[in-house]
C-alpha cells in the first residue's frame, strides 16, 4: 500500500498531461503510459519528443569549466530538453482545445508527469522558461531530486545542476502548483562488500542486485543500505512540501519492466512464469498515484460506471 503525506491538492478537473522522459529513455517508451492516462480521462496527452541519442547533447557541458569544478548550471547544457518541453506543452494544449478539453477550471494549463531525471529538468523549466504560468501540477516518478549531502565527499553526478536546482527552487517551490513526488521500495541496497548494515548472522544472503543497487543509491544519497526503486533511493525522490507517495514493489522505469496489458482483474505474467516487474507507469500501478495527483478517474471506477450506463 502507498504511504502519502498530503500537502498539496490535485487539480479540480482533468487537465492535458505532458509526460517528460527520464535519462536514457525515449518518448516511445511512454506510449503505454500515455494510453493509460487517456483511458482514465486525460483530455489530451503529449510526450516530450525525446530520442535516446538526444541525451548525448548533455555532453556539451564537458567543454564548460563549471563541469570540471562541479558548478554546472542547467542552461545552456539542458536547453535542448527545455525546448522539447515547450513543444510538448504546446501540443497538449492544442490537442485538448481541439477536443474541447481546455478552459474553465483548466485555464489553459497542463499537468506534468516527469520520470526520473525529467523531474529536476521539469523544475528547471518551471523556473528558467517561465513554465510555472502554464502548469497546474507536477508529479515526479522516481526522480533524484537532491544532490549528494554536504560533506559526503561524493561527486554530484549532474556536475552541479542538482545543487543549483535545489538552491534556486527548493522543494515544492511554486505555491500555485500541486506537487506530488512518487518513490518506491522495490529493492533494499547493500554495500559492495560485506553484509547489510545491522545484519546479523541469521540475515538472508545479500544478492548481487542489492549490491549493484546499493552502489547506485550511495552515489545519490551517500548510503547503500537504504530502500529504493533499484535506481533512486526513496529519500532522494521526495520534495519537501510535496504530497509524498511511497509505493511498495515498484520498479524504476519502463525499460526492463513487465508488459502490463490494461484491464481489471487480469494479471500480467513475465517470461518463464516469474513474478511480474511493474514500474510507476504500469497499468497496475497508475491508479495508486494518478487519481490524486492528476485528478483522473481510476480505471476500475470508470469501467464500473460504464457497465451501469453511467460512463463512457
Amino acid at each position: 500500500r502507498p504511504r502519502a503525506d498530503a500537502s498539496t491538492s490535485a487539480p479540480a478537473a482533468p487537465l492535458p498531461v505532458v509526460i517528460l522522459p527520464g535519462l536514457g529513455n525515449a518518448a516511445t517508451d511512454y506510449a503505454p503510459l500515455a494510453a493509460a492516462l487517456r483511458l482514465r480521462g486525460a483530455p489530451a496527452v503529449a510526450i516530450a519528443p525525446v530520442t535516446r541519442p538526444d541525451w548525448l547533447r548533455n555532453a556539451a557541458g564537458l567543454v564548460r569549466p563549471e563541469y570540471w569544478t562541479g558548478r554546472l548550471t542547467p542552461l545552456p547544457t539542458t536547453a535542448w530538453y527545455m525546448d522539447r518541453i515547450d513543444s510538448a506543452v504546446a501540443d497538449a494544449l492544442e490537442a485538448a482545445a481541439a477536443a474541447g478539453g481546455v478552459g474553465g477550471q483548466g485555464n489553459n494549463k497542463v499537468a506534468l508527469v516527469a520520470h526520473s531525471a525529467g523531474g529536476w529538468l521539469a523544475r528547471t523549466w518551471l523556473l528558467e522558461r517561465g513554465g510555472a504560468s502554464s502548469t497546474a501540477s507536477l508529479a515526479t516518478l522516481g526522480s533524484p531530486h537532491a544532490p549528494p549531502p554536504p560533506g559526503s565527499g561524493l561527486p554530484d553526478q549532474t556536475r552541479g545542476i542538482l545543487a543549483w536546482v535545489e538552491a534556486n527552487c527548493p522543494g515544492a517551490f511554486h505555491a500555485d502548483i500541486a506537487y506530488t513526488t512518487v518513490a518506491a521500495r522495490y529493492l533494499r541496497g547493500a554495500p559492495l562488500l560485506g553484509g547489510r548494515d545491522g545484519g546479523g548472522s541469521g540475515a538472508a544472503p545479500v544478492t548481487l542486485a542489492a549490491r549493484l543497487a546499493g552502489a547506485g543509491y550511495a552515489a545519490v544519497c551517500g548510503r547503500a543500505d537504504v530502500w529504493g526503486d533499484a535506481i533512486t533511493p526513496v529519500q532522494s525522490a521526495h520534495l519537501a512540501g510535496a504530497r509524498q507517495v511511497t509505493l511498495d514493489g515498484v520498479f524504476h522505469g519502463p525499460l526492463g519492466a513487465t508488459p502490463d496489458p490494461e484491464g481489471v482483474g487480469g494479471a500480467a505474467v513475465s517470461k518463464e512464469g516469474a513474478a511480474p516487474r511493474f514500474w510507476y507507469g504500469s497499468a497496475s500501478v497508475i491508479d495508486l498515484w494518478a487519481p490524486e495527483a492528476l485528478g483522473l478517474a481510476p480505471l476500475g471506477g470508470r469501467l464500473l460506471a460504464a457497465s451501469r450506463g453511467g460512463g463512457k
Side-chain angles (χ1 to χ4, degrees), residues 20-213:
L20 305 182
L23 180 64
N25 288 105
T28 51
D29 299 331
Y30 302 89
L33 170 59
L37 295 177
R38 291 187 190 99
L39 188 59
R40 287 162 173 77
V45 182
I47 308 171
V50 174
T51 67
R52 258 177 270 286
D54 279 332
W55 293 101
L56 296 175
R57 296 169 182 264
N58 289 350
L62 291 169
V63 302
R64 303 180 64 82
E66 296 88 348
Y67 178 93
W68 303 102
T69 59
R71 297 179 180 177
L72 200 64
T73 56
L75 300 179
T77 303
T78 64
W80 70 271
Y81 196 99
M82 305 294 109
D83 293 340
R84 304 303 167 86
I85 300 178
D86 287 338
S87 175
V89 169
D91 288 347
L93 289 173
E94 181 180 356
V102 174
Q105 290 178 312
N107 196 28
N108 291 341
K109 292 192 174 186
V110 300
L112 300 179
V113 174
H115 172 233
S116 196
W120 56 261
L121 286 162
R123 294 166 66 198
T124 298
W125 179 79
L126 293 174
L127 186 68
E128 291 288 270
R129 287 289 182 92
S133 64
S134 57
T135 303
S137 64
L138 168 62
T140 66
L141 312 176
S143 295
H145 284 300
S152 66
L154 295 170
D156 180 352
Q157 296 182 62
T158 64
R159 304 307 299 158
I161 292 179
L162 262 180
W164 184 96
V165 172
E166 189 61 19
N168 287 275
C169 48
F173 182 73
H174 295 90
D176 55 348
I177 293 178
Y179 288 75
T180 300
T181 53
V182 187
R185 293 164 49 94
Y186 176 79
L187 181 62
R188 183 184 175 192
L192 284 175
L193 300 175
R196 287 198 173 96
D197 297 342
S201 58
V206 178
T207 65
L208 177 60
R211 296 193 189 281
L212 293 176

